[in-house]
């Protein structure tokens, strides 16, 4: 489903390269985890996939279901099925959570030539999904992410994901700032969305999230490249030995 | 460039009959219809205060102008200023370009000065003010006692442990009743901070140097027919001076109440924010229900010096006339801010639900480099109301920015016009303007009109649905776009949210209704 080939990226202002030839293929139905130390380029990868400004692709290609993602606007990518669960979900004062989500859903549907969802249908859809993630009516009414706790923000991201039903879900350090209970809740939400037609890219520092969201493949990223790929056991190796050993191995 | 849209044709789908058999258009949310309807025919402030009033003789001439000046105990320069305005006014013609119609006003058949008899001898403090007057303000929800008021709508249960006094905020009030100021609260506390807040007549007596320096420098005497009329006959109003570097320690507000019959109210407001200062000011207005129309012609002048910031909010709820358009206030007002200093900033917020006829364009002259002007307006017109309102943003300083968000909602037989000017001068390089106007028609007999004028005289400025204006930050934009909204939709969503926040922050009880209005959805807008 997702094919990244030899992706080189640098910051728009400045020559500093951040991704230095990333290769990655994720099939539908699979969950891939990307682990790596700070500054390895994990978050940059998520931004480049979703089309954030500020990065220049100097080489390589990214396709989703055969379509060239890099040529699309962020909203076109969203309509094509790319969803990014933000590491730091953004606050939008004065815009109700429900209004936001309904606007987003209908924008995507419009882009795909589908009819808009009526207010009543949307409400039903929302209620079902919100219940699973223990998102109360209060959180739905409040402005997007304003005054939400860390855990609430992350649950809200997963709620959005559940409603928008993307093809490719990118989770950027969704576990950061979560306690164990909140992490379980989020993981349950994600697991409920696992589906033969959907792919996941789970970006994380720590192995603990992967106890709850079991990956099929684990990649280790360092200095803008994927230096190791393996099964879930690779995550455990990192957990026990840290990144140190892997990094020296790479250098050697 | 005029873009006029009228409701026409009936949709076959869901129909909702309303009392005067106007058919609600399809696609308009029911909640909105209800909210707008609740405003029609249910004017809450239409009662009258029974009080003895003394009037100046009917009509307008040089003697009346002198009389008003004399009642206010003004020095000669002020009287002369008024008289020259009066002479000027006599040569001027009433403007007729607005999208409003009303019977000719007989300027000789009304009173220009009305004051409660109890105010003949100026009360020294609010304790000496006629209890009937104080009751009036209490009934209107205006606190004339110097007390904390709690912000927000929640119950004011004093036992709530989460509510410390810090949650409450103070609002100083200047209460204007017909032609005079009844009193101004918190003056002593404000004075400690160096802030002058008093009635305009007091300012002329106590701070003539400031009044002389600034009066008429933003809205010149000859600006327009109503401003000139106001210059001649204004009776009272509010005066604010915030010294350099001072952040005004509380919200300031003026509440205008018209009570006397067949009387015009002409008030003058002058707000000066000196270098690096900040002040937030709120204005409210109501009047009794009467069968004859009454004129209200105010002038508001704001001066913002270097790095100063002024927020000016209005909740305009004058009596709108009855369902057949009988009576109501003609609200012909000139409001203008001069962002004189570099990086100065003025924000106009208005919620307009009242008046039979409104003619009002709160504007900003963006003279300073990097100065900023903002205009946020919600105008709701019911029954036979007519509103012609908007703003002018005149960019003179380089890198100046402006933002205009206007929402007009029309129901019944009402007409609602947005009229705006964005003007960028040749030397005002790199200016930005963002304008967003929405109109919503509820029913098939009302009208919404949009008349935006744009004049740009240099090539480096951008006037458009601008995404990079200051408050829509890139993170918010990217977040919305990642969820599927295109750039325009994302900007609109974020800006609307911002406006809602601005309106929800209006202090005082009388602004609560306004906050509820903000919830109105413009789904089904005609653009």
């Amino acid at each position: 489903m997702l094919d990244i080939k030899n992706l080189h990226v640098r910051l728009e202002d400045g020559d500093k390269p951040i991704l230095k030839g990333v290769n990655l293929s994720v099939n539908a139905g699979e969950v891939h985890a990307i682990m790596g130390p700070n500054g390895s380029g994990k978050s940059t990868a998520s931004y480049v996939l979703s089309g954030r400004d500020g990065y220049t692709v100097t080489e390589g290609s990214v396709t989703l279901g055969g379509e060239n993602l890099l040529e699309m606007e962020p909203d076109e990518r969203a309509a094509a099925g790319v969803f990014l669960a933000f590491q730091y979900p953004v606050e939008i004062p004065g815009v109700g959570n429900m209004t936001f989500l309904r606007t987003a859903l209908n924008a995507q549907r419009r882009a795909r030539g589908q009819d808009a969802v009526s207010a009543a249908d949307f409400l039903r859809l929302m209620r079902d999904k919100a219940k699973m993630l223990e998102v109360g009516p209060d959180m739905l009414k409040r402005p997007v992410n304003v005054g939400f706790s860390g855990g609430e923000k992350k649950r809200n991201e997963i709620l959005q994901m559940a409603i928008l039903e993307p093809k490719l879900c990118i989770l950027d350090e969704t576990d950061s700032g979560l306690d164990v209970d909140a992490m379980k809740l989020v993981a349950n939400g994600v697991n409920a969305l696992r589906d033969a037609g959907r792919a996941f890219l789970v970006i994380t520092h720590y192995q603990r999230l992967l106890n709850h969201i079991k990956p099929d493949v684990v990649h280790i990223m360092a200095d803008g490249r994927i230096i190791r790929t393996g099964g879930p056991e690779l995550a455990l190796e990192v957990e026990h030995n840290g990144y140190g050993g892997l990094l020296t191995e790479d250098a050697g | 460039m005029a873009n006029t849209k009228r409701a026409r044709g009936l949709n076959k789908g869901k129909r909702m009959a309303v009392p005067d058999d106007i058919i609600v258009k399809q696609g308009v949310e029911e909640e909105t219809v209800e909210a707008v309807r609740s405003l029609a025919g249910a004017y809450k402030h239409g009662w009258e205060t029974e009080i003895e009033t003394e009037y100046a003789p009917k009509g307008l001439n040089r003697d009346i102008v002198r009389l008003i000046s004399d009642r206010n105990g003004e020095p000669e320069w002020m009287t002369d200023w008024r008289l020259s305005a009066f002479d000027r006014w006599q040569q001027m013609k009433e403007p007729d370009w607005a999208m409003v119609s009303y019977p000719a006003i007989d300027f000789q058949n009304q009173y220009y000065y009305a004051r409660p008899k109890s105010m003949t001898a100026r009360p020294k403090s609010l304790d000496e003010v006629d209890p009937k007057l104080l009751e009036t303000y209490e009934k209107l929800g205006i606190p004339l006692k110097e007390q904390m008021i709690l912000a927000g709508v929640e119950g004011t249960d004093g036992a709530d442990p989460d509510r410390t006094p810090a949650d409450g905020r103070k609002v100083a009030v200047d209460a204007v009743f017909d032609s005079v100021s009844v009193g101004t609260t918190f003056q002593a506390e404000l004075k400690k901070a160096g802030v002058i807040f008093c009635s305009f007549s007091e300012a002329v007596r106590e701070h003539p140097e400031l009044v002389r320096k600034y009066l008429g420098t933003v809205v010149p005497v000859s600006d327009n027919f109503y401003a000139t009329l106001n210059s001649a006959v204004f009776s009272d109003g509010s005066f604010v001076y915030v010294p350099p570097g001072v952040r005004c320690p509380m919200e300031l507000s003026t509440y205008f109440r018209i009570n006397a019959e067949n009387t015009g109210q002409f008030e003058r407001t002058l707000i000066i924010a000196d270098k690096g200062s900040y002040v937030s000011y709120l204005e409210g207005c109501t009047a009794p229900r009467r069968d004859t129309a009454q004129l209200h012609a105010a002038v508001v002048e704001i001066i913002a010096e270097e790095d100063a910031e002024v927020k000016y909010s209005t909740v305009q709820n004058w009596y709108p006339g009855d369902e057949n358009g009988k009576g109501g206030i003609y609200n012909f007002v000139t409001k203008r801010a001069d962002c004189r200093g570099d990086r100065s900033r003025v924000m106009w917020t208005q919620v307009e639900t009242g008046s039979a006829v409104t003619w009002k364009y709160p504007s900003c002259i963006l003279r300073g480099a990097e100065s900023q002007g903002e205009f946020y307006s919600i105008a709701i017109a019911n029954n036979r109301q007519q509103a012609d309102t908007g703003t002018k943003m005149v960019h003179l300083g380089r890198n100046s920015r402006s933002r205009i968000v206007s929402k007009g909602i029309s129901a019944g037989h009402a007409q609602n016009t947005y009229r705006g000017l964005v003007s960028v001068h040749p030397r005002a390089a790199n200016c930005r303007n963002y304008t967003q106007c929405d109109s919503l028609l509820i029913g098939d007999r009302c009208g919404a009109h949009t008349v935006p004028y744009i004049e740009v005289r240099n090539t480096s400025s951008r006037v458009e649905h601008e995404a990079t204006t200051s408050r829509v930050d890139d993170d918010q934009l990217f977040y919305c776009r990642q969820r599927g909204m295109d750039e325009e939709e994302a900007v609109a969503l974020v800006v609307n949210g911002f406006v809602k926040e601005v309106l929800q922050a209006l202090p005082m009880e009388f602004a609560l209704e306004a906050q509820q209005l903000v919830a109105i959805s413009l789904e089904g807008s005609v653009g």
Side-chain angles (χ1 to χ4, degrees):
Chain A
M1 175 177 285
L2 175 71
D3 281 297
I4 304 177
K5 287 192 182 126
N6 191 30
L7 186 64
H8 289 256
V9 173
R10 63 168 170 80
L11 282 181
E12 208 169 69
D13 5 290
D15 295 327
K16 199 187 163 207
I18 302 178
L19 299 185
K20 304 169 182 172
V22 172
N23 290 291
L24 181 66
S25 284
V26 185
N27 296 319
E30 289 180 351
V31 175
H32 286 222
I34 300 183
M35 301 179 75
N38 279 332
S40 57
K42 303 187 304 287
S43 285
T44 298
S46 73
Y47 287 143
V48 171
L49 290 179
S50 52
R52 194 190 181 106
D53 282 345
Y55 303 97
T56 305
V57 175
T58 49
E59 220 183 312
S61 67
V62 180
T63 57
L64 182 74
E67 284 188 85
N68 182 359
L69 269 191
L70 299 177
E71 274 181 357
M72 299 184 200
E73 291 291 316
D75 45 299
E76 293 168 341
R77 298 181 197 207
V82 177
F83 181 95
L84 170 64
F86 284 64
Q87 182 180 359
Y88 303 107
V90 179
E91 298 185 1
I92 309 179
V95 178
N97 218 3
M98 299 253 280
T99 310
F100 175 79
L101 245 180
R102 196 174 148 215
T103 309
L105 179 63
N106 282 335
Q108 288 200 15
R109 293 182 64 90
R110 195 171 57 232
R112 292 191 292 252
Q114 297 164 317
D115 284 342
V117 173
S118 76
D121 287 345
F122 179 76
L123 209 64
R124 262 193 297 277
L125 179 71
M126 189 90 164
R127 276 201 193 117
D128 286 352
K129 309 276 187 192
K131 206 167 156 192
M132 185 179 74
L133 288 157
E134 297 183 20
V135 170
D138 176 54
M139 244 176 89
L140 295 179
K141 270 190 226 151
R142 267 150 60 191
V144 181
N145 292 322
V146 177
F148 285 26
S149 70
E152 285 175 331
K153 282 183 181 171
K154 297 296 168 77
R155 268 188 283 153
N156 199 33
E157 293 290 290
I158 305 305
L159 173 66
Q160 295 180 5
M161 194 162 94
I163 291 205
L164 296 172
E165 299 184 321
K167 286 190 189 135
L168 172 67
C169 306
I170 308 165
L171 279 68
D172 187 5
E173 300 199 18
T174 297
D175 51 336
S176 67
L178 292 188
D179 60 27
V180 179
D181 291 339
M183 188 153 66
K184 277 185 189 157
L185 212 55
V186 165
N188 288 343
V190 172
N191 289 329
L193 287 167
R194 288 180 78 151
D195 181 279
R198 187 170 288 139
F200 287 84
L201 212 50
V202 179
I203 295 170
T204 181
H205 266 298
Y206 305 107
Q207 195 267 338
R208 58 175 193 164
L209 179 68
L210 304 180
N211 286 336
H212 303 286
I213 304 173
K214 297 259 190 292
D216 300 302
V217 182
V218 175
H219 307 274
I220 307 294
M221 198 166 186
D223 194 26
R225 287 185 200 96
I226 289 175
I227 56 164
R228 278 276 296 276
T229 296
E233 72 286 347
L234 189 54
L236 287 169
E237 194 185 323
V238 168
E239 177 79 358
H240 292 126
N241 306 332
Y243 292 110
L246 293 168
L247 296 180
T248 33
E249 222 172 275
D250 180 48
Chain B
M1 188 174 11
N3 173 13
T4 296
K5 286 166 179 143
R6 271 172 198 280
R8 79 190 115 88
L10 308 176
N11 289 310
K12 277 175 188 151
K14 187 174 69 178
R15 292 184 180 191
M16 282 190 285
V18 291
D20 53 353
D21 70 271
I22 283 169
I23 290 164
V24 170
K25 287 181 58 192
Q26 195 181 27
V28 178
E29 286 194 357
E30 212 162 315
E31 243 173 89
T32 306
V33 176
E34 280 311 311
V36 172
R37 193 179 292 157
S38 72
L39 290 171
Y43 189 68
K44 277 193 298 194
H45 314 289
W47 43 272
E48 186 181 344
T49 308
E50 299 220 0
I51 203 165
E52 268 193 275
T53 303
E54 62 162 4
Y55 297 88
K58 224 178 206 177
L60 182 54
N61 52 50
R62 288 180 73 99
D63 288 340
I64 295 290
V65 174
R66 277 198 198 92
L67 181 144
I68 295 170
S69 186
D70 179 62
R71 289 285 153 89
N72 286 343
E74 289 173 355
E76 206 180 319
W77 63 266
M78 193 72 252
T79 316
D80 291 343
W81 197 80
R82 290 171 174 277
L83 285 169
S84 75
F86 177 73
D87 294 342
R88 193 78 184 233
W89 180 73
Q90 283 191 302
Q91 294 156 23
M92 293 171 89
K93 274 175 84 176
E94 219 176 322
D96 57 3
W97 42 261
M99 183 85 194
V100 293
S101 63
Y102 51 92
I105 298 172
D106 183 352
F107 288 95
Q108 295 306 333
N109 190 28
Q110 59 174 331
Y111 299 102
Y112 286 82
Y113 189 86
R115 114 178 131 185
K117 269 212 170 117
S118 61
M119 295 294 294
T120 310
R122 212 174 297 278
K124 284 192 191 64
S125 73
L126 276 164
D127 301 335
E128 291 177 18
V129 169
D130 182 352
K132 267 196 179 163
L133 287 173
L134 297 179
E135 267 168 38
T136 301
Y137 287 93
E138 200 169 310
K139 207 166 157 186
L140 291 167
I142 311 306
L144 290 188
K145 285 184 193 127
E146 298 195 351
Q147 64 197 12
M148 300 284 226
I149 60 160
L150 290 176
V153 210
E154 305 98 295
T156 45
D157 186 0
D160 185 346
D162 292 338
R163 274 207 177 277
T164 59
D167 281 327
R169 50 180 164 176
K170 290 176 182 171
V171 177
V173 182
D174 182 25
V176 176
F177 190 92
D178 289 329
S179 302
V180 293
S181 166
V182 169
T184 310
T185 62
F186 286 113
Q187 275 183 307
E189 192 172 333
L190 286 166
K191 202 174 169 184
K192 270 187 224 153
V195 175
I196 304 170
F197 179 43
C198 62
S199 72
F200 198 91
S201 52
E202 191 180 328
V204 173
R205 291 190 301 270
E206 307 293 329
H207 309 282
E209 70 299 340
L210 285 172
V211 176
R212 274 190 102 154
K213 183 174 171 193
Y214 290 103
L215 180 69
T217 63
V218 185
V219 178
V221 170
S222 56
D223 192 76
N224 69 71
F225 184 82
Y226 296 110
T228 308
L229 173 62
N230 174 285
S231 301
V233 301
F234 73 85
S235 48
D236 219 331
S238 302
F239 176 85
V240 177
Y241 173 77
V242 190
V246 170
R247 192 178 170 88
C248 187
M250 63 184 86
E251 308 261 354
L252 306 183
S253 80
T254 304
Y255 196 91
F256 296 103
R257 175 73 175 173
I258 294 180
N259 191 61
E261 200 161 2
N262 201 11
T263 303
Q265 190 179 54
F266 306 90
E267 84 272 357
R268 189 106 195 169
T269 302
L270 180 55
I271 298 175
I272 303 141
D274 217 323
K275 287 179 186 173
S277 67
Y278 166 87
V279 63
S280 167
Y281 180 94
L282 172 68
E283 168 205 280
C285 10
T286 59
R289 179 185 297 274
R290 300 209 195 275
D291 287 345
T292 48
Q294 277 175 282
L295 181 60
H296 173 258
V299 171
V300 175
E301 294 180 279
I302 298 177
I303 293 107
E305 302 283 9
E306 219 171 273
D307 295 304
E309 182 177 352
V310 179
K311 287 184 185 166
Y312 191 106
S313 315
T314 304
V315 179
Q316 193 269 99
N317 197 8
W318 292 118
Y319 176 54
D322 70 7
E323 51 279 20
N324 300 313
K326 209 166 177 196
I329 302 289
Y330 294 167
N331 192 34
F332 300 152
V333 172
T334 306
K335 292 180 168 178
R336 196 172 302 152
D338 188 350
C339 293
R340 223 164 259 190
D342 293 350
R343 296 169 303 278
S344 57
R345 190 164 158 196
V346 170
M347 180 199 281
W348 296 103
T349 305
Q350 58 172 27
V351 178
E352 306 273 311
T353 56
S355 283
V357 183
T358 299
W359 179 97
K360 181 168 91 161
Y361 315 92
S363 302
C364 294
I365 299 166
L366 300 165
R367 202 183 298 278
E370 290 164 53
S371 58
Q372 219 180 104
E374 291 160 87
F375 174 78
Y376 305 108
S377 172
I378 294 185
I380 298 175
N382 267 298
N383 296 325
R384 302 269 172 185
Q385 279 177 271
Q386 307 169 61
D388 193 307
T389 184
T391 185
K392 285 189 275 186
M393 292 291 172
V394 181
H395 292 261
L396 303 176
R398 65 191 156 73
N399 297 322
S400 52
R401 277 151 200 266
S402 61
R403 177 185 290 170
I404 300 169
V405 180
S406 163
K407 297 170 187 298
I409 300 168
S410 317
H413 293 85
Q415 298 292 328
N416 215 326
T417 303
Y418 167 80
R419 188 183 302 276
L421 167 70
V422 176
S423 160
V424 180
H425 285 239
R427 279 193 286 178
N430 298 313
C431 294
R432 297 281 172 85
N433 164 266
Y434 170 82
T435 300
Q436 183 193 329
C437 299
D438 299 311
S439 308
L440 180 65
L441 295 168
I442 297 177
D444 56 336
R445 301 198 187 164
C446 46
H449 319 274
T450 306
V451 193
Y453 298 88
I454 299 171
E455 304 165 0
V456 182
R457 299 221 159 80
N458 67 47
T459 52
S460 61
S461 295
R462 289 212 285 176
V463 175
E464 56 180 335
H465 281 239
E466 160 64 47
T468 51
T469 43
S470 59
R471 272 215 188 80
V472 181
D473 73 38
D474 291 344
D475 287 343
Q476 289 176 329
L477 213 58
F478 177 64
Y479 192 66
C480 293
R481 296 193 69 192
Q482 207 301 305
R483 297 301 185 248
M485 296 170 219
D486 64 28
E487 185 161 347
E488 197 176 334
E489 194 170 17
V491 171
L493 187 86
V494 174
V495 169
N496 280 344
F498 170 70
V499 172
K500 198 164 153 184
E501 290 279 297
V502 168
L503 291 170
Q504 277 175 340
L506 295 178
M508 302 278 270
E509 284 82 342
F510 70 82
L512 289 183
E513 299 172 40
Q515 292 167 19
Q516 282 149 16
L517 289 180
V518 185
I520 283 180
S521 147
L522 284 192
E523 196 140 329
S525 343
V526 292

